[in-house]
Amino acid sequence: MPKGYWVSAYRTISDPEKLAAYNKLAPLAVKAAGGRVLTRGSRVVAHDAGIAERTVLIEFDSFEQAVAAHESDAYQEALAALSDGVERDFRIVEGLD
């Protein structure tokens, strides 16, 4: 079964306090849903229209699990804390195998 991934590329961080509140809640929600953080804010080299800002990659055992994790009450609480504190490109993608 193909794995599922959350890919989140931050464009701007306008409110570090909201991001900090999100960072307290989101990892707990991800872990509870079976997600594994592969990278979070590591070194970034951007090309084309990319922006060298915080980038997060989280792996789940399946695409369906990744979608369910995003829809979970715990993650929705984290998103409410984040609110408009950042601008990011967030995607859920299916792996190849």
Side-chain angles (χ1 to χ4, degrees):
M1 173 181 309
K3 293 183 179 183
Y5 296 89
W6 285 8
V7 182
S8 185
Y10 287 65
R11 296 190 174 282
T12 61
I13 299 171
S14 58
D15 192 330
E17 290 180 10
K18 287 183 179 180
L19 180 58
Y22 169 84
N23 284 339
K24 289 181 182 177
L25 298 171
L28 300 173
V30 166
K31 186 174 181 180
R36 295 169 297 284
V37 177
L38 300 181
T39 186
R40 181 182 63 225
S42 302
R43 292 171 25 171
V44 176
V45 175
H47 295 280
D48 302 324
I51 298 171
E53 186 59 83
R54 177 184 173 93
T55 303
V56 180
L57 178 63
I58 300 174
E59 180 181 65
F60 292 86
D61 289 335
S62 70
F63 179 79
E64 291 76 17
Q65 185 182 18
V67 170
H70 186 271
E71 296 172 358
S72 72
D73 290 341
Y75 189 69
Q76 291 303 307
E77 181 182 351
L79 283 178
L82 182 60
S83 180
D84 61 352
V86 303
E87 178 186 356
R88 65 184 184 159
D89 179 354
F90 183 96
R91 298 165 190 242
I92 300 174
V93 298
E94 184 175 55
L96 295 176
D97 57 13

